[in-house]
Amino acid sequence: MAHSPPQKLWYLPNHHDALQAHMHLLHKLGNAKTKANHHAYYQTLIKDGTANGATSNAYLTSSNVPFKTKCIIMKYRTGTLYNQKHAVSFKLSTSQTCPLCLQVGSALHFLSGCQHMQIRNMITGRHNLACRMIFKAISKTGSLGSCIVSKDIGSIERMTMRNLQIPETAESRIVPKWLFPPRFSDKDKFTSSRPDFVLVTPISAKTKKLIM
């Protein structure tokens, strides 16, 4: 920008209270609540081992992830991604509903829940693209790739465009009936939620003995 102020280096004696004071003075961010839901949920996932910190944050140093995408992810994880709830708080709107589908316009809604036809198609396309990338990574392992028995990640044409080899066992997006317990009716088997992938791996003789 032609009239942007010159950059200035700030000396910070530490990355804790000094950084907090600096951020609050300039950006009003230093006193953010660290016990808010988004922060608490993630800390719980790290502590109980559900999430891996290095893997969860790998996108920050990945050259394959655009900078704008990194910003969106960080805003979503910190609860600062702009949405209709923020618009009401900032007095920029009087309604918390999405202007496209009239449902509550939260951050999660805008990223993956909007029911407007065009937006829903975009969300589905983005989801399937991410799943195809995961499918490609699984396929490279060899043995795991051949264990996929069903997938719901887009059309065969889309898979072919990415040069993905689909195992014959995974051509259907419907979960095989033999994976369900006997108590499930045929209707329940067909209408049950379809996962993105279903992998069936063999049980080692040692594990089988422990189960028995």
Side-chain angles (χ1 to χ4, degrees):
M1 296 177 63
H3 302 288
S4 60
Q7 294 184 352
K8 179 180 180 181
L9 296 178
W10 294 77
Y11 170 74
L12 299 176
N14 60 65
H15 288 171
H16 298 286
D17 55 324
L19 177 61
Q20 180 178 1
H22 166 77
M23 293 299 292
H24 188 68
L25 176 65
L26 296 184
H27 307 289
K28 307 302 180 184
L29 296 174
N31 292 333
K33 296 180 180 179
T34 57
K35 293 185 178 180
N37 288 342
H38 289 82
H39 179 81
Y41 291 157
Y42 186 68
Q43 290 301 313
T44 300
L45 293 176
I46 293 294
K47 290 178 180 178
D48 65 15
T50 303
N52 181 285
T55 303
S56 297
N57 297 312
Y59 72 94
L60 289 171
T61 55
S62 173
S63 59
N64 296 323
V65 181
F67 178 74
K68 288 185 177 180
T69 302
K70 294 178 181 180
C71 291
I72 292 175
I73 296 173
M74 184 59 69
K75 287 180 179 180
Y76 177 73
R77 286 176 58 172
T78 56
T80 55
L81 185 64
Y82 187 80
N83 56 71
Q84 281 301 114
K85 292 183 178 180
H86 288 158
V88 173
S89 299
F90 302 153
K91 300 187 184 305
L92 298 176
S93 176
T94 58
S95 174
Q96 292 189 2
T97 59
C98 170
L100 297 177
C101 71
L102 303 182
Q103 296 187 13
V104 177
S106 63
L108 180 61
H109 172 85
F110 286 122
L111 286 180
S112 63
C114 185
Q115 296 304 304
H116 184 272
M117 181 60 68
Q118 186 173 357
I119 302 299
R120 187 170 60 183
N121 290 340
M122 291 171 59
I123 292 172
T124 301
R126 183 184 62 201
H127 166 271
N128 289 344
L129 177 60
C131 288
R132 287 192 286 271
M133 294 171 66
I134 297 173
F135 183 92
K136 186 174 184 178
I138 293 175
S139 299
K140 288 182 178 180
T141 64
S143 58
L144 284 180
S146 62
C147 293
I148 299 176
V149 298
S150 72
K151 50 97 184 101
D152 188 12
I153 56 176
S155 64
I156 295 178
E157 290 75 15
R158 294 285 185 180
M159 301 282 286
T160 305
M161 288 173 60
R162 294 188 65 86
N163 297 321
L164 297 176
Q165 298 296 325
I166 309 170
E168 293 182 2
T169 55
E171 291 183 353
S172 174
R173 65 192 184 101
I174 300 175
V175 179
K177 293 183 178 180
W178 51 267
L179 279 175
F180 292 92
R183 60 184 176 82
F184 275 72
S185 65
D186 289 341
K187 180 180 179 181
D188 291 335
K189 294 175 183 177
F190 183 77
T191 58
S192 62
S193 177
R194 291 193 296 267
D196 299 324
F197 303 102
V198 176
L199 284 80
V200 178
T201 57
I203 299 177
S204 65
K206 183 178 180 180
T207 306
K208 189 174 183 180
K209 289 180 180 178
L210 292 175
I211 295 175
M212 294 176 65

